[in-house]
Amino acid sequence: MLATALVDRIGSGLWASVSVLYFTYVSGLSVARIGTLAAVAGAIGIAGAPIGGRLADRFPLTRVLIAVQLLRALASSALLVTDHYALLLVSTSLGGLGDRAASVLTKLYATRVAGPDRVRYQAVHRTLANAGWAIGGLAATAALALGTTAAYQWLLAGDALSFVAAALLTMRCGEPQSTRRMVATSKDPSPATKPTNPWGDRTYLAYVATETVLFLDDAVFKVGLPLWIAHASDAPQGLAPLLLVLNNVMVVALQVPLARFGATTTAARRLLIPLSAAFVLGGATMGLSATGGAVSAALLLTASACAFTLAEMLHATVSWELSVALAPDTAQGAYLGVHGLAQSAQRSVGPLAVTAAIAAGPIGWASFGTAIGLTCMIQHRVVRDRLTGPALSVPSITVSEH
């Protein structure tokens, strides 16, 4: 499954770098139509997380994941054969649905196969995914130098083929035993101590609501930093892509080492305190970058990028552990599907939040970081009572990666 993540993200890196350009120069869409396309795909994609989670609780996980990968391949391939706007809407929407479902399913796979080592497994998985994304992005940059329609089409074809390859690799992975099956076959099952329907679980829903806020670091790098550098600081314009590279390099280098600090449920909850500080520091240095000259702006923006990247990595570690530890053993898929809504919702809310921070100036960024820092402390309190019991532990199994 780790090899699958690498192949999947190489393909995604190929497409993410050129999607807007493809729709502009190959499909001939206006800016308004491209924006609508992205918005509709994002909105429909939100449903992918809970749907994927529910299906994984009812059917073999690897089979569901294979079907989702093939759906993504079909959606990408369809873009190659039509410029009709309605069909483009359908294809991108199916792709968004599959993307969010695949994200939840791979996380659930890690939960079942790695058991108590799930945080480290997810850290390795994320490191490989970031490396794949970077490889795909570099390949796309090289192809864009050609500037031809054929080059764009080959990049999109590469994206589709990566999903087919990911499906083939998934076929070679062993099916992990679900906790639902383990509980059902137990001779002495323990009584349920947690709700089994995430939509009726107020504690989990409150936790997911705080997660939506904590995921805002994603919008900082995709929207906030480039716009802030362009419109409100004296830093050179070329700093924006360099800071994105810095973010990627830090994640690849440090995500696995940092994961050991959240290897248990108690440790993961404890990490919410330094996570809060990292968000506050990131917002403060971002705001201060607009108050000096070019050199100080560049230094403060670099410090802010480092702080937000640290927050990103710490939050990933905390999220991997708590999202599972708060869920009942027999409904992991359904619960992780609901948790996946946090990241999906952030994709819509995030750009609005960071543009509001930019509009408010330096105080806006300070407030942005402080608000997320306070949300970390709220989450620390929300999950406290639920985590008094033992953390989930799933026996690991051997999975073929050959």
Side-chain angles (χ1 to χ4, degrees), residues 8-9 48-49 52-53 65 68-69 72 96-110 122 125 215 320 336-337 339-340 343-344 347:
D8 183 324
R9 288 305 170 184
L65 187 52
V68 167
Q69 296 287 22
R72 298 168 77 191
L97 193 75
D99 180 68
R100 300 314 307 156
S103 178
V104 168
L105 293 170
T106 52
K107 180 178 179 179
L108 183 58
Y109 185 93
Q122 284 277 29
H125 182 279
F215 274 120
W320 293 330
L336 291 181
H339 180 262
Q343 197 163 16
S344 298
R347 293 187 175 190

mmCIF file of all heavy atoms in Angstrom, residues 8-9 48-49 52-53 65 68-69 72 96-110 122 125 215 320 336-337 339-340 343-344 347:
data_model
loop_
_atom_site.group_PDB
_atom_site.id
_atom_site.type_symbol
_atom_site.label_atom_id
_atom_site.label_comp_id
_atom_site.label_asym_id
_atom_site.label_seq_id
_atom_site.Cartn_x
_atom_site.Cartn_y
_atom_site.Cartn_z
ATOM 1 N N ASP A 8 0.162 6.813 -6.793
ATOM 2 C CA ASP A 8 -1.039 7.654 -6.803
ATOM 3 C C ASP A 8 -0.661 9.128 -6.813
ATOM 4 O O ASP A 8 -1.161 9.928 -7.626
ATOM 5 C CB ASP A 8 -1.870 7.307 -5.560
ATOM 6 C CG ASP A 8 -3.187 8.067 -5.493
ATOM 7 O OD1 ASP A 8 -3.228 9.243 -5.902
ATOM 8 O OD2 ASP A 8 -4.169 7.508 -4.987
ATOM 9 N N ARG A 9 0.251 9.528 -5.920
ATOM 10 C CA ARG A 9 0.591 10.939 -5.780
ATOM 11 C C ARG A 9 1.468 11.460 -6.916
ATOM 12 O O ARG A 9 1.453 12.663 -7.205
ATOM 13 C CB ARG A 9 1.255 11.183 -4.424
ATOM 14 C CG ARG A 9 0.268 11.090 -3.274
ATOM 15 C CD ARG A 9 -0.894 12.035 -3.510
ATOM 16 N NE ARG A 9 -1.986 11.827 -2.580
ATOM 17 C CZ ARG A 9 -3.141 12.470 -2.615
ATOM 18 N NH1 ARG A 9 -3.361 13.367 -3.564
ATOM 19 N NH2 ARG A 9 -4.083 12.228 -1.728
ATOM 20 N N GLY A 48 -17.660 12.074 -0.674
ATOM 21 C CA GLY A 48 -16.823 10.896 -0.884
ATOM 22 C C GLY A 48 -16.318 10.275 0.401
ATOM 23 O O GLY A 48 -16.224 9.039 0.515
ATOM 24 N N ALA A 49 -15.983 11.100 1.384
ATOM 25 C CA ALA A 49 -15.428 10.572 2.639
ATOM 26 C C ALA A 49 -16.429 9.684 3.390
ATOM 27 O O ALA A 49 -16.122 8.524 3.695
ATOM 28 C CB ALA A 49 -14.949 11.725 3.517
ATOM 29 N N GLY A 52 -17.289 6.467 1.283
ATOM 30 C CA GLY A 52 -16.187 5.507 1.296
ATOM 31 C C GLY A 52 -16.085 4.783 2.621
ATOM 32 O O GLY A 52 -15.878 3.560 2.667
ATOM 33 N N GLY A 53 -16.236 5.524 3.718
ATOM 34 C CA GLY A 53 -16.163 4.902 5.033
ATOM 35 C C GLY A 53 -17.265 3.890 5.265
ATOM 36 O O GLY A 53 -17.028 2.792 5.791
ATOM 37 N N LEU A 65 -11.426 0.017 -2.351
ATOM 38 C CA LEU A 65 -10.362 0.927 -2.766
ATOM 39 C C LEU A 65 -10.015 0.745 -4.238
ATOM 40 O O LEU A 65 -9.779 1.723 -4.959
ATOM 41 C CB LEU A 65 -9.124 0.711 -1.899
ATOM 42 C CG LEU A 65 -7.964 1.695 -2.089
ATOM 43 C CD1 LEU A 65 -8.444 3.136 -1.973
ATOM 44 C CD2 LEU A 65 -6.868 1.420 -1.077
ATOM 45 N N VAL A 68 -12.661 2.459 -6.240
ATOM 46 C CA VAL A 68 -12.510 3.914 -6.184
ATOM 47 C C VAL A 68 -11.371 4.376 -7.086
ATOM 48 O O VAL A 68 -11.497 5.380 -7.796
ATOM 49 C CB VAL A 68 -12.263 4.361 -4.723
ATOM 50 C CG1 VAL A 68 -11.794 5.806 -4.672
ATOM 51 C CG2 VAL A 68 -13.542 4.210 -3.909
ATOM 52 N N GLN A 69 -10.269 3.635 -7.097
ATOM 53 C CA GLN A 69 -9.149 4.016 -7.968
ATOM 54 C C GLN A 69 -9.553 3.934 -9.436
ATOM 55 O O GLN A 69 -9.171 4.783 -10.251
ATOM 56 C CB GLN A 69 -7.940 3.102 -7.695
ATOM 57 C CG GLN A 69 -7.348 3.224 -6.302
ATOM 58 C CD GLN A 69 -6.575 4.517 -6.108
ATOM 59 O OE1 GLN A 69 -6.779 5.496 -6.817
ATOM 60 N NE2 GLN A 69 -5.687 4.532 -5.127
ATOM 61 N N ARG A 72 -11.597 6.932 -10.323
ATOM 62 C CA ARG A 72 -10.743 8.101 -10.551
ATOM 63 C C ARG A 72 -10.076 8.030 -11.934
ATOM 64 O O ARG A 72 -9.951 9.044 -12.629
ATOM 65 C CB ARG A 72 -9.680 8.199 -9.454
ATOM 66 C CG ARG A 72 -10.272 8.382 -8.071
ATOM 67 C CD ARG A 72 -9.208 8.186 -7.001
ATOM 68 N NE ARG A 72 -8.339 9.361 -6.879
ATOM 69 C CZ ARG A 72 -7.214 9.355 -6.173
ATOM 70 N NH1 ARG A 72 -6.797 8.239 -5.582
ATOM 71 N NH2 ARG A 72 -6.494 10.451 -6.083
ATOM 72 N N GLY A 96 -13.485 14.166 -7.908
ATOM 73 C CA GLY A 96 -13.447 14.696 -6.554
ATOM 74 C C GLY A 96 -14.033 13.729 -5.543
ATOM 75 O O GLY A 96 -13.514 13.560 -4.439
ATOM 76 N N LEU A 97 -15.132 13.073 -5.926
ATOM 77 C CA LEU A 97 -15.756 12.078 -5.058
ATOM 78 C C LEU A 97 -14.783 10.931 -4.776
ATOM 79 O O LEU A 97 -14.605 10.501 -3.631
ATOM 80 C CB LEU A 97 -17.015 11.553 -5.737
ATOM 81 C CG LEU A 97 -17.986 10.730 -4.882
ATOM 82 C CD1 LEU A 97 -18.774 11.640 -3.953
ATOM 83 C CD2 LEU A 97 -18.947 9.958 -5.783
ATOM 84 N N GLY A 98 -14.128 10.448 -5.829
ATOM 85 C CA GLY A 98 -13.182 9.354 -5.672
ATOM 86 C C GLY A 98 -11.962 9.746 -4.878
ATOM 87 O O GLY A 98 -11.440 8.955 -4.080
ATOM 88 N N ASP A 99 -11.494 10.972 -5.063
ATOM 89 C CA ASP A 99 -10.310 11.441 -4.346
ATOM 90 C C ASP A 99 -10.529 11.454 -2.839
ATOM 91 O O ASP A 99 -9.697 10.979 -2.066
ATOM 92 C CB ASP A 99 -9.941 12.839 -4.838
ATOM 93 C CG ASP A 99 -8.721 13.392 -4.130
ATOM 94 O OD1 ASP A 99 -7.617 12.858 -4.342
ATOM 95 O OD2 ASP A 99 -8.853 14.351 -3.351
ATOM 96 N N ARG A 100 -11.662 11.997 -2.399
ATOM 97 C CA ARG A 100 -11.938 12.071 -0.958
ATOM 98 C C ARG A 100 -12.215 10.683 -0.382
ATOM 99 O O ARG A 100 -11.838 10.380 0.756
ATOM 100 C CB ARG A 100 -13.123 12.989 -0.678
ATOM 101 C CG ARG A 100 -12.963 14.417 -1.143
ATOM 102 C CD ARG A 100 -11.609 15.002 -0.782
ATOM 103 N NE ARG A 100 -11.305 14.856 0.634
ATOM 104 C CZ ARG A 100 -10.087 14.844 1.137
ATOM 105 N NH1 ARG A 100 -9.048 14.922 0.343
ATOM 106 N NH2 ARG A 100 -9.895 14.724 2.430
ATOM 107 N N ALA A 101 -12.864 9.810 -1.160
ATOM 108 C CA ALA A 101 -13.114 8.447 -0.691
ATOM 109 C C ALA A 101 -11.794 7.697 -0.540
ATOM 110 O O ALA A 101 -11.564 6.992 0.448
ATOM 111 C CB ALA A 101 -14.034 7.714 -1.662
ATOM 112 N N ALA A 102 -10.901 7.840 -1.522
ATOM 113 C CA ALA A 102 -9.611 7.146 -1.470
ATOM 114 C C ALA A 102 -8.799 7.586 -0.266
ATOM 115 O O ALA A 102 -8.101 6.781 0.366
ATOM 116 C CB ALA A 102 -8.828 7.410 -2.760
ATOM 117 N N SER A 103 -8.878 8.859 0.090
ATOM 118 C CA SER A 103 -8.135 9.372 1.241
ATOM 119 C C SER A 103 -8.565 8.684 2.531
ATOM 120 O O SER A 103 -7.741 8.263 3.345
ATOM 121 C CB SER A 103 -8.342 10.889 1.353
ATOM 122 O OG SER A 103 -7.674 11.407 2.481
ATOM 123 N N VAL A 104 -9.870 8.540 2.710
ATOM 124 C CA VAL A 104 -10.383 7.877 3.914
ATOM 125 C C VAL A 104 -10.054 6.395 3.910
ATOM 126 O O VAL A 104 -9.674 5.813 4.934
ATOM 127 C CB VAL A 104 -11.913 8.087 4.023
ATOM 128 C CG1 VAL A 104 -12.518 7.184 5.081
ATOM 129 C CG2 VAL A 104 -12.217 9.538 4.338
ATOM 130 N N LEU A 105 -10.177 5.764 2.749
ATOM 131 C CA LEU A 105 -9.941 4.318 2.657
ATOM 132 C C LEU A 105 -8.483 3.964 2.936
ATOM 133 O O LEU A 105 -8.202 2.951 3.588
ATOM 134 C CB LEU A 105 -10.354 3.814 1.278
ATOM 135 C CG LEU A 105 -11.862 3.871 0.983
ATOM 136 C CD1 LEU A 105 -12.133 3.590 -0.484
ATOM 137 C CD2 LEU A 105 -12.626 2.899 1.868
ATOM 138 N N THR A 106 -7.541 4.769 2.450
ATOM 139 C CA THR A 106 -6.136 4.480 2.724
ATOM 140 C C THR A 106 -5.823 4.675 4.205
ATOM 141 O O THR A 106 -5.020 3.937 4.781
ATOM 142 C CB THR A 106 -5.211 5.374 1.875
ATOM 143 O OG1 THR A 106 -5.576 6.746 2.037
ATOM 144 C CG2 THR A 106 -5.318 5.013 0.412
ATOM 145 N N LYS A 107 -6.463 5.653 4.826
ATOM 146 C CA LYS A 107 -6.274 5.849 6.267
ATOM 147 C C LYS A 107 -6.853 4.676 7.049
ATOM 148 O O LYS A 107 -6.252 4.185 8.017
ATOM 149 C CB LYS A 107 -6.939 7.158 6.703
ATOM 150 C CG LYS A 107 -6.792 7.437 8.196
ATOM 151 C CD LYS A 107 -7.415 8.771 8.558
ATOM 152 C CE LYS A 107 -7.278 9.040 10.051
ATOM 153 N NZ LYS A 107 -7.846 10.349 10.432
ATOM 154 N N LEU A 108 -8.013 4.197 6.637
ATOM 155 C CA LEU A 108 -8.628 3.057 7.306
ATOM 156 C C LEU A 108 -7.783 1.803 7.127
ATOM 157 O O LEU A 108 -7.641 0.989 8.049
ATOM 158 C CB LEU A 108 -10.035 2.835 6.738
ATOM 159 C CG LEU A 108 -10.863 1.716 7.379
ATOM 160 C CD1 LEU A 108 -11.041 1.957 8.873
ATOM 161 C CD2 LEU A 108 -12.220 1.609 6.691
ATOM 162 N N TYR A 109 -7.189 1.646 5.948
ATOM 163 C CA TYR A 109 -6.305 0.505 5.706
ATOM 164 C C TYR A 109 -5.135 0.540 6.691
ATOM 165 O O TYR A 109 -4.764 -0.478 7.284
ATOM 166 C CB TYR A 109 -5.792 0.536 4.269
ATOM 167 C CG TYR A 109 -4.961 -0.680 3.898
ATOM 168 C CD1 TYR A 109 -5.550 -1.785 3.298
ATOM 169 C CD2 TYR A 109 -3.592 -0.721 4.169
ATOM 170 C CE1 TYR A 109 -4.795 -2.900 2.966
ATOM 171 C CE2 TYR A 109 -2.832 -1.832 3.850
ATOM 172 C CZ TYR A 109 -3.439 -2.917 3.251
ATOM 173 O OH TYR A 109 -2.693 -4.028 2.940
ATOM 174 N N ALA A 110 -4.533 1.717 6.848
ATOM 175 C CA ALA A 110 -3.413 1.854 7.777
ATOM 176 C C ALA A 110 -3.844 1.511 9.194
ATOM 177 O O ALA A 110 -3.113 0.859 9.951
ATOM 178 C CB ALA A 110 -2.855 3.278 7.719
ATOM 179 N N GLN A 122 1.254 5.835 9.084
ATOM 180 C CA GLN A 122 0.688 6.980 8.375
ATOM 181 C C GLN A 122 1.758 8.023 8.069
ATOM 182 O O GLN A 122 1.724 8.686 7.033
ATOM 183 C CB GLN A 122 -0.423 7.619 9.221
ATOM 184 C CG GLN A 122 -1.714 6.841 9.220
ATOM 185 C CD GLN A 122 -2.567 7.152 7.989
ATOM 186 O OE1 GLN A 122 -2.062 7.496 6.926
ATOM 187 N NE2 GLN A 122 -3.863 7.014 8.127
ATOM 188 N N HIS A 125 3.610 6.778 5.131
ATOM 189 C CA HIS A 125 2.695 6.921 3.995
ATOM 190 C C HIS A 125 2.677 8.367 3.504
ATOM 191 O O HIS A 125 2.776 8.642 2.298
ATOM 192 C CB HIS A 125 1.294 6.480 4.430
ATOM 193 C CG HIS A 125 0.261 6.536 3.346
ATOM 194 N ND1 HIS A 125 -0.367 7.717 2.988
ATOM 195 C CD2 HIS A 125 -0.254 5.579 2.541
ATOM 196 C CE1 HIS A 125 -1.221 7.470 2.010
ATOM 197 N NE2 HIS A 125 -1.179 6.189 1.726
ATOM 198 N N PHE A 215 -7.288 22.132 10.123
ATOM 199 C CA PHE A 215 -6.829 21.825 8.766
ATOM 200 C C PHE A 215 -6.579 23.084 7.923
ATOM 201 O O PHE A 215 -6.161 22.981 6.765
ATOM 202 C CB PHE A 215 -7.838 20.937 8.035
ATOM 203 C CG PHE A 215 -7.666 19.461 8.293
ATOM 204 C CD1 PHE A 215 -8.685 18.725 8.870
ATOM 205 C CD2 PHE A 215 -6.490 18.823 7.953
ATOM 206 C CE1 PHE A 215 -8.536 17.360 9.111
ATOM 207 C CE2 PHE A 215 -6.325 17.462 8.184
ATOM 208 C CZ PHE A 215 -7.344 16.730 8.768
ATOM 209 N N TRP A 320 -4.234 11.534 13.094
ATOM 210 C CA TRP A 320 -4.214 10.103 12.788
ATOM 211 C C TRP A 320 -4.599 9.278 14.008
ATOM 212 O O TRP A 320 -5.332 8.304 13.907
ATOM 213 C CB TRP A 320 -2.821 9.679 12.328
ATOM 214 C CG TRP A 320 -2.409 10.255 11.026
ATOM 215 C CD1 TRP A 320 -3.216 10.608 9.975
ATOM 216 C CD2 TRP A 320 -1.082 10.579 10.624
ATOM 217 N NE1 TRP A 320 -2.467 11.128 8.949
ATOM 218 C CE2 TRP A 320 -1.150 11.118 9.312
ATOM 219 C CE3 TRP A 320 0.173 10.450 11.230
ATOM 220 C CZ2 TRP A 320 -0.031 11.539 8.622
ATOM 221 C CZ3 TRP A 320 1.300 10.864 10.538
ATOM 222 C CH2 TRP A 320 1.195 11.407 9.253
ATOM 223 N N LEU A 336 -14.405 7.366 10.427
ATOM 224 C CA LEU A 336 -13.341 8.019 9.672
ATOM 225 C C LEU A 336 -13.901 8.738 8.448
ATOM 226 O O LEU A 336 -13.342 9.741 7.994
ATOM 227 C CB LEU A 336 -12.284 7.002 9.260
ATOM 228 C CG LEU A 336 -11.441 6.429 10.407
ATOM 229 C CD1 LEU A 336 -10.417 5.438 9.878
ATOM 230 C CD2 LEU A 336 -10.751 7.530 11.191
ATOM 231 N N GLY A 337 -15.019 8.239 7.928
ATOM 232 C CA GLY A 337 -15.678 8.934 6.833
ATOM 233 C C GLY A 337 -16.186 10.297 7.263
ATOM 234 O O GLY A 337 -16.033 11.288 6.548
ATOM 235 N N HIS A 339 -14.973 11.962 9.819
ATOM 236 C CA HIS A 339 -13.775 12.762 10.070
ATOM 237 C C HIS A 339 -13.225 13.344 8.775
ATOM 238 O O HIS A 339 -12.715 14.474 8.753
ATOM 239 C CB HIS A 339 -12.697 11.901 10.750
ATOM 240 C CG HIS A 339 -11.437 12.641 11.034
ATOM 241 N ND1 HIS A 339 -10.328 12.576 10.202
ATOM 242 C CD2 HIS A 339 -11.094 13.488 12.033
ATOM 243 C CE1 HIS A 339 -9.370 13.337 10.691
ATOM 244 N NE2 HIS A 339 -9.804 13.901 11.797
ATOM 245 N N GLY A 340 -13.332 12.603 7.691
ATOM 246 C CA GLY A 340 -12.857 13.097 6.408
ATOM 247 C C GLY A 340 -13.591 14.338 5.930
ATOM 248 O O GLY A 340 -13.082 15.089 5.090
ATOM 249 N N GLN A 343 -11.568 17.803 6.448
ATOM 250 C CA GLN A 343 -10.623 18.243 5.426
ATOM 251 C C GLN A 343 -11.352 18.678 4.163
ATOM 252 O O GLN A 343 -10.941 19.644 3.506
ATOM 253 C CB GLN A 343 -9.629 17.128 5.110
ATOM 254 C CG GLN A 343 -8.390 17.614 4.389
ATOM 255 C CD GLN A 343 -7.256 16.602 4.446
ATOM 256 O OE1 GLN A 343 -7.469 15.436 4.755
ATOM 257 N NE2 GLN A 343 -6.056 17.047 4.164
ATOM 258 N N SER A 344 -12.436 17.993 3.828
ATOM 259 C CA SER A 344 -13.210 18.382 2.643
ATOM 260 C C SER A 344 -13.828 19.760 2.833
ATOM 261 O O SER A 344 -13.788 20.599 1.923
ATOM 262 C CB SER A 344 -14.305 17.346 2.386
ATOM 263 O OG SER A 344 -13.762 16.070 2.118
ATOM 264 N N ARG A 347 -11.511 22.751 2.441
ATOM 265 C CA ARG A 347 -11.172 23.165 1.087
ATOM 266 C C ARG A 347 -12.073 24.284 0.599
ATOM 267 O O ARG A 347 -11.692 25.065 -0.276
ATOM 268 C CB ARG A 347 -11.259 21.967 0.136
ATOM 269 C CG ARG A 347 -10.205 20.912 0.414
ATOM 270 C CD ARG A 347 -10.208 19.831 -0.637
ATOM 271 N NE ARG A 347 -9.115 18.889 -0.424
ATOM 272 C CZ ARG A 347 -8.750 17.951 -1.286
ATOM 273 N NH1 ARG A 347 -9.406 17.821 -2.430
ATOM 274 N NH2 ARG A 347 -7.763 17.133 -1.018
#
